[in-house]
Amino acid sequence: MLNFEFYNPTRIVFGNETIPRLDELVPAEARVLVLYGGQSARVNGTLGEVREALGSREVQEFGGIEPNPSYETLMQAVELVRSQRLDFLLAVGGGSVIDGTKFVAAAVGYDANAWDILETRGVNIRGALPFGSVLTLPATGSEMNQSAVVTRRETQAKLPFRSPHVFPRFSILDPSKTYTLPVRQLANGVADAFTHVMEQYLTYPVDARVQDRFAEGLLQTLIEIAPQVLDESADYDSRANLVWSATLALNGLIGAGVPQDWSTHMIGHELTALHGIDHARTLAIVLPANLQVRRQAKRHKLLQYAARVWQITEGDEEQRIDAAIERTRAFFEKLGLPTHLADYQLGVNDIDALISQLETHRLTRLGESGDVTPAVCRRVLEASL
Ligand code: NZQ
Ligand code: ZN
């Protein structure tokens, strides 16, 4: 029986030349901290457009937020906000900058040690500074959700947290801001969004027909636009469809009231923390193996996925499931994302450390039924060698 509550307060401003809208979206009296990553936002002019749109407001900047943002760097931003009594944050970048900004927003007024936010996955957050985002990389959906992932370099712990207090107030989605993205990041974006849909769709049936059809529509859209997206001369329309697909893949809509998996993500986070592999690339390694190892528990949805997303109708059930998993793997490979640990010079001897990290982080009952134990994760990693 479907039973859920859906809440999403983020205002989306979507389209070409939308950065000037910041003037109406950010309060006139705000004391703003603009947060960004390395140099991309400055070099491609986005930061300049943002400064111009903010006009005469008090504006300070904090750059240097890394991919897979670190607690150590973000705490410097927390100090800056406190010492300068800034009261509005604006993230300019991809998932890492937006996630980092969510952490800063929650940490500034947090009573306990700020790392506790990650240890407790966000449940003790009682408030956060208001913030908005200007998205430059479609992938994570962070621009319209209440989640973030932060890494503590010291302990190689990459952990997620969530809280309704860290929804962005608004996000500006200008597809033309993706024009400067290297092909590698575009491919990562397609694969990340694709896997977000899969982790909410490919579980077991609960007769959530709207969520299923929306999820299948997003998967088909991503498959359809992938070749244009990767083309250097890609046009506005394919980028616009990528941006909107990635946002809708993880804004709560397709996940409302349905079982969710997330084991691919949690295993993937450990691969990033220990071996520095890009987030989306870890998913390309883990997802096909995860589907293979857990094909019995997922068989109904695998058959539905085979028929509706890949139009696989030939063969018996086992053959159709095999074909659907193979198509998934081939899709990632065609994007340029390798799907085996060996492609990253990792082998069977690296699995113990990954399993022990999952145990340290209490990620021992993963999956839609809570039955993805460390032993199952080991089988998944062995299947991805
Ligand atoms: O640092 P700069 O110089 O800005 O370069 C960035 C960075 O090197 C570059 N880039 C961004 N926009 C660009 C650009 N280069 C040229 N032109 C542009 N327009 O891209 C590189 C990667 O950026 P990053 O923000 O790290 O990528 P992504 O958006 O994939 O974010 C990944 C992070 O998000 C987390 C991941 O774990 C990872 O830490 N996730 C967050 C989620 C969420 N909040 O819901 C869910 C996801 O599953 C994911 O876990
Ligand atoms: Zn992801």
Side-chain angles (χ1 to χ4, degrees):
M1 192 194 305
L2 272 187
N3 199 344
F4 63 85
E5 190 176 316
F6 177 69
Y7 172 71
N8 193 317
T10 302
R11 176 172 174 182
I12 296 296
V13 176
F14 191 108
N16 202 10
E17 305 288 337
T18 38
I19 289 180
R21 297 281 300 278
L22 281 171
D23 192 30
E24 71 190 77
L25 295 166
V26 177
E29 69 291 352
R31 293 169 56 78
V32 185
L33 182 65
V34 173
L35 300 100
Y36 61 97
Q39 285 307 312
S40 78
R42 189 180 299 286
V43 171
N44 66 22
T46 308
L47 218 47
E49 285 180 56
V50 166
R51 292 290 303 227
E52 195 183 330
L54 291 172
S56 57
R57 290 172 182 80
E58 161 87 32
V59 178
Q60 302 214 18
E61 288 181 2
F62 183 88
I65 297 178
E66 320 86 336
N68 310 304
S70 78
Y71 169 76
E72 289 84 353
T73 300
L74 298 171
M75 286 310 290
Q76 294 172 26
V78 171
E79 286 313 314
L80 181 65
V81 172
R82 285 180 180 149
S83 68
Q84 300 294 307
R85 297 193 312 282
L86 303 169
D87 59 18
F88 196 96
L89 308 180
L90 184 61
V92 180
S96 294
V97 174
I98 303 174
D99 281 9
T101 301
K102 289 176 177 177
F103 175 79
V104 173
V108 165
Y110 199 70
D111 283 341
N113 176 324
W115 184 248
D116 179 73
I117 292 174
L118 282 311
E119 289 287 350
T120 58
R121 308 294 195 264
V123 292
N124 296 328
I125 295 171
R126 297 282 169 264
L129 278 186
F131 70 96
S133 88
V134 175
L135 182 74
T136 65
L137 196 177
T140 65
S142 187
E143 64 276 9
M144 198 180 177
N145 72 31
Q146 54 175 322
S147 302
V149 191
V150 172
T151 299
R152 191 162 189 165
R153 298 270 179 256
E154 193 195 347
T155 52
Q156 291 183 302
K158 178 170 179 167
L159 298 175
F161 76 92
R162 55 189 278 138
S163 163
H165 296 289
V166 299
F167 276 108
R169 294 285 162 110
F170 64 82
S171 284
I172 292 190
L173 275 46
D174 178 345
S176 71
K177 293 296 149 210
T178 69
Y179 291 167
T180 55
L181 279 167
V183 169
R184 176 193 181 95
Q185 295 298 343
L186 290 163
N188 284 356
V190 173
D192 195 19
F194 190 92
T195 309
H196 292 159
V197 178
M198 292 289 274
E199 300 251 53
Q200 299 164 90
Y201 164 74
L202 222 145
T203 57
Y204 54 85
V206 291
D207 204 21
R209 298 182 193 213
V210 173
Q211 286 85 334
D212 275 6
R213 297 280 188 194
F214 277 9
E216 288 153 2
L218 290 170
L219 294 173
Q220 286 175 307
T221 305
L222 289 164
I223 293 164
E224 188 173 284
I225 63 177
Q228 289 122 279
V229 162
L230 299 195
D231 182 348
E232 300 279 359
S233 60
D235 60 340
Y236 179 88
D237 294 335
S238 60
R239 296 297 171 88
N241 280 296
L242 172 63
V243 172
W244 196 220
S245 299
T247 301
L248 289 172
L250 198 50
N251 75 344
L253 190 61
I254 62 166
V258 302
Q260 303 191 10
D261 189 343
W262 300 110
S263 58
T264 292
H265 268 72
M266 294 308 121
I267 300 170
H269 287 171
E270 304 302 357
L271 277 166
T272 300
L274 289 189
H275 301 290
I277 303 171
D278 291 356
H279 171 63
R281 289 171 178 255
T282 68
L283 308 176
I285 299 166
V286 179
L287 182 67
N290 203 351
L291 296 177
Q292 189 59 260
V293 167
R294 294 163 62 214
R295 60 189 284 153
Q296 277 316 325
K298 291 178 178 290
R299 69 179 296 110
H300 285 105
K301 278 306 203 49
L302 277 167
L303 287 165
Q304 181 177 324
Y305 169 66
R308 293 195 192 168
V309 176
W310 295 108
Q311 287 79 47
I312 296 167
T313 49
E314 305 277 297
D316 65 23
E317 291 193 347
E318 298 310 321
Q319 288 167 331
R320 294 193 323 257
I321 290 173
D322 277 335
I325 296 172
E326 260 332 292
R327 295 295 288 271
T328 310
R329 185 183 293 284
F331 178 63
F332 290 145
E333 294 276 356
K334 193 133 192 264
L335 287 170
L337 279 72
T339 58
H340 294 280
L341 286 169
D343 298 312
Y344 296 90
Q345 287 72 51
L346 297 175
V348 69
N349 295 335
D350 297 294
I351 294 179
D352 278 349
L354 293 161
I355 298 298
S356 120
Q357 285 276 92
L358 287 165
E359 286 167 343
T360 304
H361 301 140
R362 304 188 309 274
L363 299 168
T364 52
R365 302 232 146 257
L366 300 172
E368 61 271 32
S369 305
D371 58 358
V372 182
T373 58
V376 177
C377 293
R378 181 180 293 280
R379 281 172 44 219
V380 170
L381 287 164
E382 284 167 356
S384 61
L385 285 169

